[in-house]
Amino acid sequence: MIARRTLALCAAVIASLALAGPAAAAGRPLRIVGAQADTALTQRWQDFGRRPGVGWAAGDGTYSTTLPSGLVAWLFNDTFFGPVRADDSLPESSPFTHNSAVLSTSDAKHLLTTIAPGPPKHPQSLVGPTPQSPSVPNDHWYWNGDGIVDGGKLRVLEFEQQPTDDPPPFNFAWTRTKLATLDPRTFRLEKLTDVPSAGGVQWGTELMRDGAWTYIYGVEGDGFTKYLHLARAPIGRLDGPWQFRTAAGWTGDPAASARLLGNVGSSFGVTPVGGEYLLTTFDSGLTDTIHAYHARTPAGPFTGGETVYTAPEAGNGRYTYNVAAHPEISRPGHLVISYNTNSEKLADLYANIDNNRPRFVDLRLSR
């Protein structure tokens, strides 16, 4: 395990140096010079979902973080469980949870096992209640935000939801956010604590470690437009207290948090690369184009917004959403990102569960 972690660290250092040489010193901005579907990684998840037995068949969320073991934990939200039929259809009696995890090797070349408590044929949500089915909601439930190992524990931001009278599939509303502390070996939930919610910011759509800090990005929803906010905590102290970014600096008052960028998606990635910070996101709402913004500091200002990829799955009742970045599995000079796919009709998912599996994109970076 020590050798594996050492190799991973060396790869990260090499990736940084590859993009932070003389060109970076000269002040050239980071450029995205190519973006193509990572069909091999997408296919790997499709194959994993089709394995025999009760296990992960599909899900959204797709956050990732490296564990102390060197394995990568993939954190999912609504999760369908197999077995999947040969035509990729799924029986409506199949198990369903509101969150789960999957373990992979450090390079994601091998997807290993599904993590969900409960007996094999009756998996339960990692955090919070387990629904009877997707169409019979609980009075509340949790969807995973991003996760990170901090203070020796796996910390995952959890977005509490409750049902609404809106028509499906958007008949839910965020109520508050909690921080889940889990054992990084067993995934046993140790505690669930409140995090600030003043100002209506849903904290934890992205966690990024940089220098002495863990940066906590959040989303404020205002109608159809969503805004990026930022908090931070010293490494090892994600359980608080946090500092919140204002227009002038940092404060302990969450209500004073400033809007740093508008028109972001409900989930996005912020990745430190070669002395810059690359934000990848869909626009607010349900769109098919992924944009990239650049900044010199974790707090911005974020500029650019160029289109880097158009998701081909959107349309005809399907939609795409929730960008996440995966630097821990990315090669030097590249960044792997993912997005989720879904359908407006639950029946379409049961007819072809691949409609709910993540897609992956490889961005090629240069100076």
Side-chain angles (χ1 to χ4, degrees), residues 48-250:
F48 183 76
R50 294 165 180 152
R51 295 196 310 176
V54 177
W56 184 96
D60 62 1
T62 326
Y63 298 98
S64 61
T65 190
T66 301
L67 299 173
S69 65
L71 300 178
V72 173
W74 297 81
L75 303 169
F76 289 94
N77 295 328
D78 283 351
T79 305
F80 293 86
F81 289 78
V84 176
R85 299 186 181 111
D87 62 356
D88 248 358
S89 65
L90 189 68
E92 294 188 15
S93 59
S94 298
F96 175 84
T97 66
H98 280 309
N99 47 72
S100 70
V102 171
L103 292 182
S104 81
T105 54
S106 59
D107 55 5
K109 292 291 180 65
H110 301 280
L111 308 180
L112 302 175
T113 188
T114 305
I115 304 295
K121 293 186 178 181
H122 300 282
Q124 305 294 303
S125 298
L126 279 173
V127 179
T130 301
Q132 178 180 334
S133 72
S135 57
V136 183
N138 303 96
D139 60 357
H140 78 286
W141 65 91
Y142 295 100
W143 282 333
N144 292 323
D146 202 1
I148 198 168
V149 174
D150 186 73
K153 301 293 183 180
L154 176 59
R155 316 275 190 177
V156 183
L157 275 299
E158 298 289 343
F159 306 139
E160 185 177 282
Q161 311 288 324
Q162 66 180 18
T164 68
D165 294 329
D166 296 309
F170 307 112
N171 52 335
F172 58 87
W174 169 73
T175 55
R176 58 180 173 172
T177 301
K178 292 180 176 287
L179 178 67
T181 299
L182 300 100
D183 185 301
R185 298 176 302 279
T186 66
F187 284 80
R188 182 180 65 85
L189 177 64
E190 296 182 352
K191 61 180 178 179
L192 196 60
T193 54
D194 290 324
V195 303
S197 59
V201 178
Q202 188 172 308
W203 295 104
T205 55
E206 168 75 345
L207 297 173
M208 182 192 73
R209 182 167 291 148
D210 190 58
W213 302 93
T214 299
Y215 290 93
I216 308 132
Y217 290 88
V219 169
E220 173 202 352
D222 184 9
F224 289 104
T225 302
K226 298 181 186 298
Y227 298 91
L228 178 147
H229 288 249
L230 178 62
R232 69 182 184 182
I235 288 178
R237 296 294 305 278
L238 190 57
D239 53 350
W242 295 355
Q243 298 176 2
F244 302 87
R245 183 69 184 185
T246 70
W250 297 92

Side-chain angles (χ1 to χ4, degrees), residues 36-52:
Q36 63 180 20
D38 190 332
T39 54
L41 185 53
T42 296
Q43 184 66 52
R44 210 168 295 144
W45 281 99
Q46 291 171 340
D47 293 343
F48 183 76
R50 294 165 180 152
R51 295 196 310 176

Side-chain angles (χ1 to χ4, degrees), residues 230-275:
L230 178 62
R232 69 182 184 182
I235 288 178
R237 296 294 305 278
L238 190 57
D239 53 350
W242 295 355
Q243 298 176 2
F244 302 87
R245 183 69 184 185
T246 70
W250 297 92
T251 178
D253 180 10
S257 171
R259 293 173 172 177
L260 301 182
L261 181 67
N263 198 29
V264 296
S266 55
S267 177
F268 47 78
V270 182
T271 309
V273 185

Side-chain angles (χ1 to χ4, degrees), residues 2-45:
I2 293 175
R4 180 184 295 169
R5 288 198 295 271
T6 301
L7 289 173
L9 178 60
C10 289
V13 171
I14 291 170
S16 177
L17 292 175
L19 293 172
R28 293 184 188 175
L30 183 73
R31 294 182 300 126
I32 299 174
V33 296
Q36 63 180 20
D38 190 332
T39 54
L41 185 53
T42 296
Q43 184 66 52
R44 210 168 295 144
W45 281 99

